[in-house]
Amino acid sequence: MAVETSKEGHPLRRLLHVIATHDGEAIEAMAQAHLEPGTRVVSDGLGCFRAVTRAGCVHEPVNVTKAHTHGEKLACFRWVNTVLGNLKTTIAGTFKSVAKYYVPRYFAEFQYRFNRRFQLASLLPRLACVATRAAPRPYNTVTQKF
């Protein structure tokens, strides 16, 4: 998960991306696909996040285990933790159970709505436009497990 914040510290957009493994190659691929070169990336210091530098980003690790007893209360992680909490509440309140293979779809829908929350009037027309331009898909591809 990544949250873009304004200069004032307010959340603007978020990225919810499922990766197969927590290693440098997966993080580098995610950064190259979704982050602009020069982006400042603040992480909890996990070694795999150093890979964002290979994608041209600036990495600022925060050692939460040594510096703070409550890493979730750090200002730099405030919106990541808030968004994660909201995501968990939304999924738990909406679905009786969650199958692992649907998680990317849930994340995509949650990310889509969050990133367009300031453009509510255009949300439905935009969704209709995208849906009409999408190619037809056989039933088995729609129900395909990831």
Side-chain angles (χ1 to χ4, degrees), residues 23 54 68 71 83 99 101 112 120-121 130 132 134-135 137 142 144:
D23 62 5
R54 295 194 299 258
H68 306 278
V83 168
Y101 50 85
Y112 185 89
L120 293 179
V130 171
T132 57
R137 301 179 101 193
V142 176
Q144 178 182 8

Side-chain angles (χ1 to χ4, degrees), residues 2-103:
V3 177
E4 177 186 6
T5 56
S6 66
K7 292 179 182 179
E8 297 80 28
H10 300 292
L12 298 174
R13 294 183 297 177
R14 73 167 143 227
L15 168 68
L16 298 167
H17 186 75
V18 178
I19 55 174
T21 59
H22 235 86
D23 62 5
E25 293 170 2
I27 299 297
E28 180 183 3
M30 181 274 308
Q32 287 176 344
H34 300 287
L35 302 177
E36 293 281 331
T39 299
R40 179 177 156 242
V41 177
V42 179
S43 77
D44 61 0
L46 190 61
C48 64
F49 288 115
R50 288 190 299 256
V52 298
T53 59
R54 295 194 299 258
C57 299
V58 178
H59 180 233
E60 295 181 20
V62 175
N63 191 337
V64 293
T65 56
K66 292 182 181 178
H68 306 278
T69 56
H70 299 291
E72 69 275 359
K73 292 185 180 178
L74 290 172
C76 59
F77 298 123
R78 175 180 174 213
W79 288 112
V80 170
N81 290 317
T82 301
V83 168
L84 276 175
N86 291 345
L87 175 63
K88 290 177 190 178
T89 302
T90 298
I91 288 175
T94 305
F95 304 104
K96 185 175 181 180
S97 65
V98 175
K100 183 178 180 180
Y101 50 85
Y102 289 127
V103 168

Side-chain angles (χ1 to χ4, degrees), residues 102-142:
Y102 289 127
V103 168
R105 293 178 185 180
Y106 298 150
F107 281 6
E109 185 268 336
F110 197 66
Q111 176 179 309
Y112 185 89
R113 282 188 299 127
F114 184 89
N115 291 344
R116 288 157 183 82
R117 70 192 183 282
F118 297 122
Q119 305 151 355
L120 293 179
S122 67
L123 191 62
L124 193 56
R126 178 74 184 132
L127 182 60
C129 178
V130 171
T132 57
R133 290 188 316 179
R137 301 179 101 193
Y139 180 75
N140 64 343
T141 63
V142 176

